Amino acid sequence: MEPTKTRLTRWLYAERWPLLAALLAAAAVHYPIYAHQLRNMDSLHVGSLYIADLWAFNPYWETEQGRWGLRLVDMLRGGIDLPALSALLMLLFYTLAGLAVVRLFALRSRAARFLIPLLVVCSPYVAEVETFHYCSAAYGLSFLLAVLAVFAAVYAPPLWWAGGALCLMFSLSMYQASLGVAAGLCVMALLLAVLQQRAWLPMLRRMLVMGVSGSAAYYIVLKLFLKWYGTSLFGSYANGPVEILKALPQGLANAYRDFAVYFTQQYTIAQNYYGQRLAYACVLAVTLAVAALWLVKLRQKRTALLAVALLLLLPAAINITDILNADSHIELRMAGALVLVAPFCLALLEQCPIQGKKLAVWPLAAGAVCGVLLLRGYIVQVNNDAMVMLAQKNKIVHLADRICVQLEQNADYQAGAEVCILGEPQKGLYAAVSPLHEKASDLAQFGLLSYDPTFNARGWHSLYWEELGIELNWCSDETTRALCASEAFQAMPAYPQQGSIQTLDGVVVVKVADIQ
């Protein structure tokens, strides 16, 4: 047998041009995000130095949510939250994952080899992950490991399923939503095997052994870390088998609803503007036509029924986190696996059983055109979101600079009084938004600052240090909450009106907008 290292080297060399094309395209598409250090509310809280489970504000927070592997990744990078480096590592991991998907589906056409990595790494989902600078590289690695886990289950020699189980264990330790990536790919690979009338039962057994072993190993290590830290799982993450079974009907409903919403509505994590819905509809129509032809050509009725059953099971597998966590509905958790649906359609179109060389080309050609249209929508959507986030950031940073000038002229501030700044500019007297705001994703529309008083104030802390290089004499979190709840603060006008900067209980308070 050829050594694994040699096979890997030959594969990477054979795919060097798709790899290079995807990386260069992704670096250009995502440039506005990492170049301008655009981030979301959660990323703003943690600042430029962060190691999971060592955050003084909330120790062991990541492990309490089941993500014990993030600390290991953060320790490897020293906790330095550098947007450009994190983004480029993340893009590399997603690109390699796209190439691994091409290999998993055994695709050979130039269209699939180039388009699939691009459709993965340039998707709006990846751009949203990128705004979590402190964990974006780890999330990308989690996605890649989930793909490699399924690849090992399908192609690895006997007993090598342990490597796939190990990949799945570490994948889940960084982001549990990658379970949907692994489960979805398993169903896709099985469906292809059934349609091609290949032996699928041995593949299913290997997948089950890999999945159960990897998930069990992840959970055992998680329990060890929780015991070591002296803490427990947080909220809905602590749901046991009984709670999951009780919520199963709702979880299944969420799974199929989210599958439909992701591709059909314009208020999802991807928004689906700029022709994305049209591209999805066209590629789905072509794929369903080819799949119907394929099913007709299957001579065994039992095989055709099994293929239909797997096709109906796909939304549930992709959105398995909805099923396991029915009371905590977050679209970002399941979007990663949904990114793979369009690549899977290309795989079905390439391997369709149409007879005749000329006729066999048309389904893949039609799918490739739809893929290019979808890729165009992805690229424009990512840049639309980036421009909205940049406009929000510029507004807040310039506002912070003007507030700082006034604070430096305040007698109480000059005497050493503590400072508290609260409010979101878009909810105050700075409500003007970008003309691109309506077509931006939910996360981009939400803004840079939290609605929660504690995290809102901490956002201002980070903004002053990260953007202006200024460390003010901030008051404590307890004081912040007390001031926000006071009648005196509620009665204050919003900045820049007269009286928007006052000294309350010895703290210089700046009210940017009302906040509860």
Side-chain angles (χ1 to χ4, degrees):
M1 181 179 293
E2 187 179 11
T4 302
K5 183 177 180 181
T6 304
R7 282 183 289 152
L8 178 62
T9 304
R10 290 181 60 183
W11 174 68
L12 287 174
Y13 181 78
E15 301 299 328
R16 64 192 184 280
W17 295 120
L19 173 65
L20 184 61
L23 279 177
L24 290 177
V29 171
H30 294 266
Y31 176 81
I33 300 177
Y34 62 80
H36 295 290
Q37 300 190 35
L38 303 180
R39 59 186 68 195
N40 58 53
M41 175 189 71
D42 289 339
S43 186
L44 181 65
H45 297 162
V46 302
S48 57
L49 182 63
Y50 176 81
I51 294 181
D53 292 330
L54 297 182
W55 191 21
F57 174 72
N58 194 352
Y60 312 129
W61 175 64
E62 298 287 6
T63 297
E64 288 173 352
Q65 298 183 78
R67 297 194 284 266
W68 52 265
L70 287 181
R71 181 172 181 178
L72 303 177
V73 177
D74 288 349
M75 291 174 68
L76 288 175
R77 63 181 178 83
I80 297 176
D81 180 17
L82 184 64
L85 178 59
S86 297
L88 293 177
L89 283 173
M90 179 201 72
L91 296 178
L92 174 62
F93 293 143
Y94 277 110
T95 301
L96 290 174
L99 291 172
V101 168
V102 173
R103 180 66 183 86
L104 174 66
F105 294 150
L107 304 179
R108 299 181 181 277
S109 68
R110 188 180 297 271
R113 290 169 57 217
F114 277 85
L115 260 179
I116 288 177
L118 285 168
L119 287 172
V120 172
V121 77
C122 293
S123 67
Y125 158 75
V126 172
E128 298 228 9
V129 170
E130 184 181 354
T131 62
F132 292 85
H133 293 308
Y134 66 99
C135 60
S136 60
Y139 281 14
L141 180 58
S142 175
F143 189 97
L144 172 60
L145 288 174
V147 177
L148 294 179
V150 179
F151 186 89
V154 174
Y155 291 108
L159 300 181
W160 278 50
W161 57 264
L166 197 63
C167 285
L168 183 62
M169 180 190 75
F170 280 109
S171 174
L172 298 180
S173 76
M174 288 177 276
Y175 196 30
Q176 301 97 306
S178 294
L179 182 62
V181 176
L185 280 175
C186 284
V187 174
M188 293 175 188
L190 284 171
L191 180 56
L192 276 175
V194 169
L195 288 172
Q196 294 170 343
Q197 295 184 301
R198 293 186 281 115
W200 58 272
L201 269 177
M203 185 188 300
L204 176 60
R205 284 195 293 267
R206 291 196 300 270
M207 288 175 175
L208 289 174
V209 172
M210 179 276 295
V212 173
S213 301
S215 300
Y218 154 75
Y219 189 73
I220 291 171
V221 176
L222 171 61
K223 298 298 285 186
L224 291 175
F225 271 109
L226 290 170
K227 186 174 182 179
W228 183 21
Y229 294 154
T231 185
S232 60
L233 287 172
F234 174 76
S236 59
Y237 293 98
N239 286 348
V242 176
E243 290 82 0
I244 293 174
L245 287 175
K246 288 181 178 178
L248 189 60
Q250 182 60 47
L252 284 169
N254 289 345
Y256 284 91
R257 170 195 170 276
D258 288 340
F259 188 88
V261 165
Y262 183 83
F263 297 108
T264 61
Q265 293 192 12
Q266 288 182 325
Y267 194 70
T268 69
I269 194 169
Q271 286 298 81
N272 289 331
Y273 286 100
Y274 304 110
Q276 292 180 66
R277 286 198 300 180
L278 176 61
Y280 281 135
C282 290
V283 74
L284 180 62
V286 175
T287 304
L288 288 178
V290 170
L293 176 63
W294 208 333
L295 291 173
V296 170
K297 286 183 173 291
L298 290 176
R299 297 181 179 180
Q300 297 180 357
K301 186 177 295 184
R302 184 179 300 177
T303 303
L305 290 175
L306 178 59
V308 172
L310 286 171
L311 194 60
L312 295 175
L313 181 63
L314 186 59
I318 285 176
N319 294 332
I320 192 169
T321 51
D322 276 350
I323 298 172
L324 298 176
N325 222 346
D327 57 345
S328 183
H329 175 73
I330 305 173
E331 290 175 351
L332 177 61
R333 287 193 320 206
M334 52 79 181
L338 287 168
V339 168
L340 298 173
V341 171
F344 179 59
C345 288
L346 291 179
L348 288 173
L349 294 175
E350 177 180 322
Q351 303 194 25
C352 67
I354 295 179
Q355 301 297 322
K357 292 184 177 179
K358 292 184 178 180
L359 290 176
V361 172
W362 283 107
L364 180 59
V369 171
C370 296
V372 170
L373 292 175
L374 182 60
L375 180 62
R376 176 259 179 190
Y378 281 178
I379 292 171
V380 180
Q381 185 70 61
V382 169
N383 281 266
N384 182 102
D385 293 356
M387 293 302 292
V388 170
M389 297 181 75
L390 181 59
Q392 293 171 342
K393 177 182 175 181
N394 287 338
K395 177 196 297 184
I396 297 174
V397 170
H398 289 305
L399 181 60
D401 190 34
R402 295 200 299 273
I403 290 174
C404 189
V405 171
Q406 295 190 41
L407 285 175
E408 289 173 344
Q409 299 172 356
N410 184 282
D412 292 328
Y413 173 82
Q414 293 175 0
E418 293 180 334
V419 177
C420 179
I421 302 178
L422 283 169
E424 302 171 69
Q426 68 268 27
K427 294 183 179 179
L429 299 181
Y430 297 88
V433 296
S434 166
L436 302 174
H437 183 268
E438 181 182 348
K439 294 185 177 181
S441 66
D442 295 0
L443 202 59
Q445 289 186 15
F446 185 84
L448 197 57
L449 294 167
S450 174
Y451 53 84
D452 175 81
T454 302
F455 289 106
N456 183 277
R458 283 181 166 269
W460 285 105
H461 301 180
S462 295
L463 276 167
Y464 269 91
W465 177 249
E466 303 289 344
E467 302 296 335
L468 300 178
I470 298 174
E471 180 65 34
L472 300 179
N473 183 24
W474 302 106
C475 67
S476 67
D477 294 333
E478 293 75 13
T479 302
T480 296
R481 290 191 290 270
L483 288 169
C484 183
S486 67
E487 293 182 1
F489 175 81
Q490 298 299 327
M492 288 174 61
Y495 185 88
Q497 293 178 322
Q498 186 70 28
S500 59
I501 301 179
Q502 297 182 24
T503 301
L504 304 178
D505 296 329
V507 179
V508 179
V509 179
V510 182
K511 181 177 179 180
V512 177
D514 288 323
I515 186 170
Q516 300 298 324

